[in-house]
Amino acid sequence: MTVNWGLARRREALGARARIIQEIRRFFIEGGYLEVETPLRIPAPAPESHIDPVPADGWFLQTSPEICMKRMLAAGYGRLFQICHCWRAGERGRMHIPEFTMLEWYRAGTDYAGLMDECERLVRSVVEGMGFGGKLAFRGGTIDSAAPWERTTVRDAFVKHGGMTMEEALERDVFDEVMVERIEPRLGNGRPTFIHDYPACRGALARLKPDDPTVAERFELYIGGVELANAFSELTDPVEQRTRFESEAAFRAFRGQITIPLPENFLAELAEMPPSAGIALGVDRLVMVLLDAASIDEVVAFTPEEL
């Protein structure tokens, strides 16, 4: 008999992972959220230039459950959460895996600021429920999750860490490069960090800030330099959303990427969606941080290479 020692060595990590997911569920159920399951194979994900979906018999494996979950918001469901598998082609590395586990939740009647507060409460609840205490060891440092979490704007982060203004980075077309190489490694060290108010051109499905339409009401969560979550005050204008989708689709075509049809049913129902906020949090990465794992491979049962 052949023993798969690589899989056997993950027993402790996979046990902790299961308990972490149980703590996540407990938080949302106690918070009055409905757990939902939406289809994994869909006709049209949101077209995004930096994400390639996996084709599946003429449709696509979901890159995120957001399209279906927002349609549920539009139908009157006020608080929703889902823990599910998502797929993104070509994403493989120490922090990436092409099939991964995502937590998404959506809440009507709040905005991205309210979701920041709730995200902070969630992570603290999981940390406490797991008995880790307030301080987490990660990559040779200590993260104090009990301390007040840092909140910084993208503009301030570029000045502090990027060596240029946000506007200069956009003009020189180096925004993403500077974010990845200079800014992200410095976020969430010592305590978790929310970085918010992204430039409008990086707004994705987020609404623009009413008092400053040059930025979108979007935030990301970083712990120890690792991006864990991405959130928006949701855009509810179907005309603006179609324009953004068409722009992304045109850019994908220019780059020779796979063609993605527009999610027409979602666009048709979007006007019925109430003011809401939504967030996607990578479960595998959260487990990595909480267990001080060096690679995502250490916290999943099977990597693609082992199948």
Side-chain angles (χ1 to χ4, degrees):
M1 184 173 68
T2 301
V3 176
N4 185 335
W5 292 111
L7 180 57
R9 281 193 294 269
R10 296 183 196 129
R11 181 185 299 272
E12 184 176 348
L14 294 180
R17 176 193 175 102
R19 295 194 301 275
I20 289 168
I21 291 174
Q22 290 164 10
E23 290 296 327
I24 291 172
R25 271 202 175 89
R26 180 181 61 80
F27 176 87
F28 285 107
I29 291 170
E30 291 179 357
Y33 278 76
L34 175 66
E35 182 172 10
V36 299
E37 295 178 291
T38 56
L40 303 179
R41 177 176 163 270
I42 58 177
E48 298 181 77
S49 59
H50 63 288
I51 294 175
D52 278 326
V54 176
D57 195 23
W59 284 10
F60 299 92
L61 298 176
Q62 66 174 3
T63 58
S64 159
E66 68 179 317
I67 294 293
C68 289
M69 293 183 77
K70 288 179 182 178
R71 291 180 66 184
M72 294 185 75
L73 280 176
Y77 294 83
R79 293 189 178 200
L80 304 167
F81 84 98
Q82 181 168 189
I83 301 169
C84 62
H85 280 218
C86 298
W87 291 260
R88 296 180 182 182
E91 296 199 2
R92 185 66 176 109
R94 188 165 57 94
M95 301 296 301
H96 296 86
I97 197 165
E99 180 182 352
F100 59 97
T101 302
M102 186 88 89
L103 160 67
E104 291 207 16
W105 75 94
Y106 293 84
R107 180 175 163 188
T110 192
D111 61 10
Y112 75 144
L115 220 53
M116 277 190 227
D117 295 336
E118 191 167 46
C119 183
E120 186 170 342
R121 291 197 304 272
L122 165 68
V123 175
R124 282 180 170 163
S125 175
V126 172
V127 169
E128 292 169 7
M130 291 296 294
F132 290 135
K135 296 190 184 326
L136 303 170
F138 185 61
R139 292 182 175 174
T142 300
I143 310 295
D144 189 353
S145 64
W149 289 20
E150 180 185 19
R151 301 190 181 193
T152 184
T153 65
V154 174
R155 275 197 175 100
D156 288 346
F158 265 83
V159 171
K160 184 176 181 180
H161 303 301
M164 67 184 72
T165 67
M166 181 181 81
E167 289 76 12
E168 288 172 334
L170 290 169
E171 185 178 350
R172 292 164 55 182
D173 196 23
V174 294
F175 179 90
D176 296 326
E177 177 184 332
V178 173
M179 274 292 297
V180 170
E181 295 180 2
R182 303 184 193 177
I183 297 175
E184 288 185 354
R186 293 173 171 82
L187 299 177
N189 296 312
R191 57 177 174 157
T193 296
F194 290 117
I195 182 170
H196 59 92
D197 292 0
Y198 276 72
C201 61
R202 297 298 192 277
L205 281 76
R207 75 183 184 197
L208 301 183
K209 200 166 184 176
D211 59 352
D212 183 5
T214 66
V215 298
E217 292 189 341
R218 172 188 175 192
F219 74 79
E220 291 186 320
L221 168 64
Y222 284 81
I223 298 181
V226 175
E227 178 202 339
L228 289 181
N230 185 28
F232 311 126
S233 296
E234 299 295 347
L235 178 64
T236 57
D237 181 345
V239 176
E240 172 63 20
Q241 187 62 82
R242 180 179 293 277
T243 299
R244 294 192 196 181
F245 279 168
E246 289 174 345
S247 176
E248 286 291 295
F251 189 60
R252 289 182 62 84
F254 172 76
R255 295 173 61 179
Q257 293 173 284
I258 188 172
T259 300
I260 302 173
L262 297 189
E264 293 293 349
N265 288 337
F266 164 72
L267 290 169
E269 298 166 14
L270 184 57
E272 300 302 319
M273 194 170 88
S276 310
I279 180 169
L281 185 150
V283 173
D284 308 309
R285 290 189 179 188
L286 176 62
V287 176
M288 276 185 63
V289 170
L290 296 185
L291 302 186
D292 192 16
S295 167
I296 203 168
D297 295 17
E298 298 177 27
V299 299
V300 297
F302 291 93
T303 67
E305 296 78 13
E306 294 171 323
L307 296 174

